[in-house]
Each structure stands twice: as C-alpha cells, then as structure tokens.
Amino acid sequence: MNEGIAQRLRGAASEGPQALRLSLRELLQLHGEGSGAVLLMLMALLSTVPIAGAGTVLSLGIFALAGAWLRGRDTLPLPERLARLTLNETWTRRCLHGLAWTYERAERWMCPRWQALCHARARFWWALWIALMAALIFLPLPLGNVLPGTSLMLLSLGWLFRDGIALLLSAATGAVGVGYAISVGHLAFAAWQHMGTWFGL
C-alpha cells in the first residue's frame, strides 16, 4: 500500500510545473485516504516548511486533531482555511519527494512491534503529546518547528505501522524539542533582564 502511495507522490512531482502548486487537501487526496495519522503527518511536515504564518495555522489544526484523538475519533473534517494552504512549486516538489522517500524507508524499516504503545488505551496520552507539540509549533521560536514537526511525523508513522519503537523515537525527538524551547526561553529571559539592568529598569 505504502509503495503505491510513494509512486503516486513521485508521479505527481514529475508532472509539469503547472501541476506543482498543491494544497493540503490535494496532498491528502494523493494518499487516497483521510485518516487522522495521515493528516497529522502532512500537517507536521508542512509545519517545518518556511511559509509565513503556516506554523500558526497548522498548529491550530494539530490542536483540533489532538482533540479528536482525545474523543477517540480517528478522522477530522479539514477546515477550509487549512485545506486551502498551498505550497509554491519548489516546496511542493520537495514535499512530494520527501513524503515518497519517507514512505519507502518506513516500509523497509518499520513493522508491528511493541504494540502496547499503539493500544487504544494509549490514545489519550498520545493526544496530549500531539497537543504539546502543537504548542511548540505555535511558539515563534527560531527553527522551533523542526523538532516537534519531526516528532509528530514519527508518531503518525508509528501509529500507521503499529511500530512502538517509532513512537518512542517520537517521544525522544519531542523531548529534545521541549528542551530547546525551554533553553531559548531562558536565554530570552536572561537577555531581557540584562537589558533592564543596562537601561536601569
């Protein structure tokens, strides 16, 4: 199944330039399904792309998906504003090839294991994790979207392949992202204090 998705994505990337401005809705349609895990992976990937304002919009969509997971739902109607989010030609091509590469490697390396982490009872905790990563993406930190976005991509692949090791890697990557956010916040606070001292405030 995933090899077929990879072929469709590479086929779309090889079409003429006029076809290389895809929206999130069109990327989802290329997958042939609209599961929550697939939608999460697409939103996580797009959150790492340097598009002005995209991180804010996508983080809200990820929050909504986390709420759906908390309620035990695996799908989420795509809000129109989010569905219309469109990449330029360069980033459309890169995302299509990147997604194809990701599916090909996942098909090779991932398999059902440590499935207790993929159990329905674990959905609550993973939903909270998704919400935490969405909060990090929402914050205006330099390169702050990369680690939480990667964490969510690993989570979605782990859920799709029922691979608990991928879920653990998701948690580890996200934990580094949390540490990065705390470090940047600490530096910003220290700089603010230093400026206050310098200006005699």
Side-chain angles (χ1 to χ4, degrees), residues 36-57:
V38 170
L39 180 56
L40 176 62
M41 181 165 58
L42 291 178
M43 290 194 292
L45 174 65
L46 296 183
S47 72
T48 65
V49 175
I51 303 175
T56 301
V57 175

Side-chain angles (χ1 to χ4, degrees), residues 11 13 17 81 112 122 133-134 149 163 177 193 196:
R81 183 182 177 189
M133 294 299 102
D163 191 337
Q193 284 185 318

Side-chain angles (χ1 to χ4, degrees), residues 9-83:
L9 294 170
R10 291 201 186 279
S14 65
E15 294 181 8
Q18 70 278 2
L20 287 180
R21 292 183 62 87
L22 296 181
S23 66
L24 177 57
R25 177 186 286 119
E26 291 166 331
L27 283 172
L28 194 60
Q29 288 172 347
L30 282 173
H31 284 74
E33 59 177 299
S35 73
V38 170
L39 180 56
L40 176 62
M41 181 165 58
L42 291 178
M43 290 194 292
L45 174 65
L46 296 183
S47 72
T48 65
V49 175
I51 303 175
T56 301
V57 175
L58 288 164
S59 66
L60 297 177
I62 295 170
F63 270 123
L65 186 56
W69 275 47
L70 276 173
R71 296 189 296 273
R73 294 167 50 196
D74 194 41
T75 59
L76 176 73
L78 200 57
E80 190 60 29
R81 183 182 177 189
L82 196 58

Side-chain angles (χ1 to χ4, degrees), residues 9 13 22 27 31 42 45-49 51 87-102 153:
L9 294 170
L22 296 181
L27 283 172
H31 284 74
L42 291 178
L45 174 65
L46 296 183
S47 72
T48 65
V49 175
I51 303 175
L87 298 170
N88 61 30
E89 295 176 11
T90 299
W91 281 105
T92 294
R93 190 184 301 275
R94 288 177 181 176
C95 284
L96 288 171
H97 283 300
L99 283 168
W101 182 89
T102 298
M153 287 189 68

